[in-house]
């Protein structure tokens, strides 16, 4: 659905271009989740939004979305493996929110093309 598209390659390139955000110290708010906890939470929220907004999805499409999202989270975990258990900084939080929104946009576009 999206993993084999140019948009996903562009998204990974965007992540790579912003890796410096994950290599430098920054402001950490009290009670901040770890990088991985935030990634999982924000991505899950966006998957739920996709399913809520695309009410005509069948079970196979929903399963494909979940499988591909698992792959995306795995890719993020691989790229960010050295810092996934560290508390997320304010800058990292903003980037992860934006990244998750871009992932959602990829799925929205792919689903629009299928209809």
């Amino acid at each position: 659905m999206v993993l084999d598209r140019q948009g996903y390659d562009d998204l990974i390139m965007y992540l790579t271009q912003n890796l410096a955000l994950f290599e430098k110290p920054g402001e950490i708010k009290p009670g901040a989740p770890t990088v991985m906890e935030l990634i999982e939470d924000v991505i899950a929220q966006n998957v739920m939004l996709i399913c809520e907004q695309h009410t005509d999805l069948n079970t196979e499409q929903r399963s494909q979305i979940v499988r591909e999202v698992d792959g995306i989270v795995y890719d993020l975990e691989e790229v960010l493996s050295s810092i996934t258990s560290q508390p997320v900084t304010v800058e990292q939080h903003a980037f992860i929110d934006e990244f998750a929104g871009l992932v959602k946009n990829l799925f929205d576009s792919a689903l629009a093309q299928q209809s």
Side-chain angles (χ1 to χ4, degrees):
M1 185 175 286
V2 301
L3 294 181
D4 59 351
R5 295 187 183 229
Q6 181 62 43
Y8 185 66
D9 293 340
D10 294 342
L11 190 61
I12 294 300
M13 181 63 69
Y14 179 63
L15 171 64
T16 314
Q17 293 168 346
N18 287 280
L19 282 178
L21 286 173
F22 296 93
E23 297 169 350
K24 63 180 183 177
E27 178 188 353
I28 298 171
K29 290 188 177 178
T34 66
V35 170
M36 200 64 222
E37 288 170 341
L38 181 66
I39 288 170
E40 291 172 344
D41 185 46
V42 173
I43 295 281
Q45 289 173 13
N46 278 280
V47 169
M48 287 188 286
L49 276 175
I50 292 167
C51 293
E52 288 172 6
Q53 292 171 348
H54 298 274
T55 56
D56 57 334
L57 291 174
N58 61 40
T59 304
E60 182 180 323
Q61 289 170 313
R62 289 175 190 267
S63 295
Q64 184 178 8
I65 290 168
V66 169
R67 281 192 307 274
E68 292 202 11
V69 165
D70 283 346
I72 292 167
V73 171
Y74 177 81
D75 289 346
L76 285 170
E77 192 171 15
E78 286 294 306
V79 171
L80 302 173
S81 63
S82 64
I83 55 101
T84 56
S85 61
Q86 295 178 1
V88 69
T89 67
V90 172
E91 297 85 3
Q92 293 166 352
H93 196 296
F95 177 81
I96 291 167
D97 284 342
E98 180 183 12
F99 188 89
L102 293 171
V103 168
K104 181 186 177 301
N105 289 347
L106 282 177
F107 281 101
D108 288 337
S109 294
L111 291 167
Q113 289 175 359
Q114 287 182 355
S115 10

